[in-house]
Amino acid sequence: MERARAAPAPEKIRRASAWTDKKETMKPASFRYHAPKTLDEAVAVLAEVAPDDGRVLAGGQSLVPIMAFRLAKPTHLVDINGIKELAQIKVDGGKLRIGACVRHAAFYEPVCDGPLGRLLATVVRSIAHHPIRTRGTFCGSVAHADPASEWCAVVATLDGEMVAQSQRGERIIPAKDYFAGIMTTTLQEDELLTEVRLPMPAPDTRVGFQEFSRRAGDFALSMAVTIYRLEGGKIADPRVGIGGAEPRARRIAEAEAALRGKQPGADVFNAAGEAAAAAIDPLEDIHTGAEYRRDLVRAMTRRALDSAA
Amino acid sequence: MSDKVDITLDINGAAHAISVEPRKTLVDAIRDDCGQTGTHIGCEHGVCGTCTIILDGEAIRSCLMFAVQADGRKIRTVEGLADGETLHPLQQAFIDHHGLQCGFCTPGFLMLAANALEHNPDIGDGELLDVLASNLCRCTGYQNIIKAVRAARDTMRGAKV
Ligand SMILES: Cc1cc2nc3c(=O)[nH]c(=O)nc-3n(C[C@H](O)[C@H](O)[C@H](O)COP(=O)(O)OP(=O)(O)OC[C@H]3O[C@@H](n4cnc5c(N)ncnc54)[C@H](O)[C@@H]3O)c2cc1C
Ligand code: FES
Ligand code: FES
């Protein structure tokens, strides 16, 4: 005869009780944290950990979200925020030198006299939101190289230089050899971007910037940086940089050619917009078709030229 | 690799000695380890702003920083806004102008606005809009938040003269 089975002892009910629950859940994967105090130390740690996907932590405003999604699972983070020598911004030899710990918010007021200070103060207002600008860094944006990074568009337009430091030494990478594609640069994994250098345009240079994004603070769908001078009423030294429309920001020679030697005005600015729209190989996604991006590039180029002062 | 690090978070003047994994975000440490649950968590990737706090005098997203990075630094959260039983002018203005409904976004908006007014008591309406555009609210439609912050600015300015 089968023995009646005893009723099972009531299981202990475990309540997941909000914040008092001691079980720890965290979105990012584990990593080891390094907080070097000097550049030499940082470069040494980076050399050691880079082969295991060790990475630099600057403002964290791109890296931490990516880690929260576990799109990145770095095993080591080298936090450079405590390195005082990297927090400097200065004008030296006709160039603005922006250290790796200089935050977006530093550009709210012109950081230097003349057109460059004005341009950077205009552009910063389109980057993310205030509490992100208080942490995110200029160099971090340039290292991250989002196609829609405003600072990358500025660096490409002005032919800035990236200063990369590793235990193997220092090298200077011109913008044209630096941006390689979507979030891809020629910076090596053991290299720390210590500084970005922007040439100071002549005092009479006119600078313009326009971008289009669906909501304030969103990544832009297209942007244009335009720069020119007037010589005898004609456009000289024109530069047109487009960001957000292609895998990487770059100067558009066709649009610059449409401006060079011409008298500024609606027709000429339209022609430059047309040339830029025709020259790009637009990124496409489900919300933004190629033709729409071309339209935006046309409009942003024209409006940036219109606004150039 | 769950080696914990001993740190001290200074929240509204009180020292909280805690032990955290480096991967713990500042907002998680403030809430889970220090029990200061006034600061809310929404998206955890920098978009919504409900986790906004003031760190060493600057408004930041506390979900985009690791707790170890805030060791020994001055943190201010919504719990520190009122002066005893007296609400901060911003808190009072949010009540008076219906600047909140469910209240989920409110701690973030309060810290964001408090920081903006501290930096510039005479902040213009345009600049205020740029700052307030940082955070999301799914209830109010924003207009009453903007009204409340403008009113608090005017009250605080009046009180100073
Ligand atoms: C809601 C939201 C909206 C945003 N909107 C915009 C926007 O409109 N436009 C825009 O441009 N950005 C935007 N951002 C991103 C923001 O500007 C970041 O600050 C920036 O992209 C990265 O800079 P960071 O200092 O925060 O770098 P981190 O996030 O710390 O690092 C980003 C990457 O670069 C590497 N890195 C950083 N610094 C260095 C260095 N010195 N040397 C070597 N490698 C380095 C890191 O290892 C990491 O891979 C937004 C972010 C958020 C959360
Ligand atoms: S939780 Fe930090 S911005 Fe949404
Ligand atoms: S009051 Fe409900 S989200 Fe703002």
Side-chain angles (χ1 to χ4, degrees):
Chain A
M1 201 181 92
E2 224 176 272
R3 250 187 80 202
R5 232 182 271 158
E11 245 180 90
K12 274 203 186 132
I13 295 167
R14 286 192 58 221
R15 276 182 211 286
S17 60
W19 67 84
T20 51
D21 190 346
K22 283 288 170 241
K23 188 172 162 291
E24 299 209 83
T25 52
M26 279 164 276
K27 281 193 163 182
S30 295
F31 60 84
R32 270 180 206 283
Y33 176 73
H34 308 267
K37 288 283 173 248
T38 65
L39 179 56
D40 286 346
E41 220 185 302
V43 166
V45 181
L46 195 57
E48 207 177 295
V49 302
D52 299 326
D53 196 17
R55 297 200 199 184
V56 172
L57 172 64
Q61 306 299 291
S62 292
L63 185 54
V64 181
I66 291 171
M67 289 173 64
F69 287 119
R70 298 220 179 180
L71 292 171
K73 292 186 259 181
T75 52
H76 294 260
L77 287 187
V78 184
D79 182 351
I80 59 172
N81 288 284
I83 306 177
K84 295 225 167 52
E85 54 195 297
L86 294 179
Q88 294 182 6
I89 181 161
K90 59 185 176 224
V91 176
D92 183 23
K95 286 178 184 160
L96 179 67
R97 299 173 53 174
I98 304 162
C101 293
V102 174
R103 313 210 184 260
H104 303 321
F107 297 91
Y108 280 156
E109 298 298 327
V111 290
C112 55
D113 290 336
L116 183 58
R118 283 203 315 273
L119 175 67
L120 299 175
T122 303
V123 170
V124 69
R125 296 282 169 184
S126 296
I127 301 174
H129 307 283
H130 175 70
I132 292 164
R133 299 178 199 142
T134 58
R135 296 279 315 154
T137 64
F138 187 104
C139 291
S141 293
V142 174
H144 188 59
D146 190 289
S149 154
E150 285 81 1
W151 292 143
C152 291
V154 167
V155 169
T157 309
L158 286 169
D159 285 314
E161 294 167 342
M162 277 40 78
V163 183
Q165 178 84 46
S166 71
Q167 283 204 312
R168 293 171 287 130
E170 181 185 280
R171 70 185 178 115
I172 294 178
I173 316 167
K176 65 175 177 35
D177 302 329
Y178 176 80
F179 297 108
I182 298 178
M183 294 180 193
T184 315
T185 70
T186 55
L187 203 64
Q188 300 298 300
E189 56 186 13
D190 65 336
E191 282 179 324
L192 196 126
L193 179 61
T194 54
E195 188 174 295
V196 172
R197 295 180 186 162
L198 297 177
M200 306 269 286
D204 61 346
T205 304
R206 299 179 180 210
V207 291
F209 171 78
Q210 288 286 315
E211 73 167 42
F212 182 84
S213 57
R214 288 206 170 90
R215 286 166 296 261
D218 275 12
F219 281 98
L221 300 180
S222 284
M223 69 185 77
V225 183
T226 59
I227 292 178
Y228 68 90
R229 290 175 41 254
L230 286 181
E231 261 172 27
K234 304 275 171 60
I235 294 175
D237 307 329
R239 287 169 182 258
V240 175
I242 299 294
E246 296 186 300
R248 60 196 175 93
R250 66 177 176 108
R251 285 175 69 179
I252 308 290
E254 294 85 345
E256 295 173 357
L259 295 168
R260 195 170 290 113
K262 306 274 170 47
Q263 224 171 340
D267 290 350
V268 170
F269 293 169
N270 275 334
E274 292 294 343
I280 62 159
D281 182 10
L283 286 170
E284 282 187 87
D285 60 55
I286 189 166
H287 304 295
T288 322
E291 279 318 298
Y292 181 45
R293 268 225 164 71
R294 277 192 212 280
D295 269 347
L296 287 174
V297 165
R298 185 180 295 120
M300 292 309 110
T301 305
R302 181 167 42 78
R303 287 185 203 167
L305 286 163
D306 262 335
S307 73
Chain B
M1 232 203 311
S2 65
D3 297 349
K4 291 197 173 179
V5 183
D6 293 330
I7 59 168
T8 303
L9 294 187
D10 174 344
I11 307 177
N12 304 315
H16 298 258
I18 58 173
S19 188
V20 295
E21 283 186 53
R23 63 175 167 145
K24 180 162 267 186
T25 57
L26 180 54
V27 67
D28 276 344
I30 290 172
R31 291 175 54 88
D32 298 352
D33 299 75
C34 307
Q36 304 294 297
T37 52
T39 305
H40 291 171
I41 311 183
C43 65
E44 294 184 79
H45 60 270
V47 172
C48 72
T50 195
C51 67
T52 306
I53 59 154
I54 301 174
L55 177 81
D56 286 342
E58 295 288 359
I60 65 149
R61 308 278 215 224
S62 59
C63 69
L64 295 189
M65 191 166 169
F66 296 108
V68 286
Q69 297 183 279
D71 185 18
R73 300 174 66 181
K74 293 223 167 337
I75 294 165
R76 286 170 55 208
T77 65
V78 72
E79 286 94 340
L81 222 42
D83 179 8
E85 290 299 301
T86 314
L87 293 180
H88 186 282
L90 269 168
Q91 291 172 308
Q92 191 57 51
F94 268 62
I95 296 172
D96 297 343
H97 297 271
H98 307 286
L100 67 148
Q101 289 179 26
C102 78
F104 191 78
C105 68
T106 315
F109 267 107
L110 287 171
M111 299 318 283
L112 179 71
N115 187 245
L117 295 181
E118 283 162 7
H119 274 282
N120 181 7
D122 297 319
I123 190 167
D125 288 350
E127 177 129 12
L128 203 52
L129 212 55
D130 176 58
V131 174
L132 294 178
S134 305
N135 288 11
L136 294 180
C137 172
R138 298 287 78 176
C139 300
T140 62
Y142 302 101
Q143 297 309 315
N144 288 348
I145 294 178
I146 297 167
K147 258 189 234 162
V149 179
R150 284 183 186 162
R153 173 197 60 195
D154 298 343
T155 319
M156 290 162 75
R157 223 169 11 186
K160 274 212 192 85
V161 189

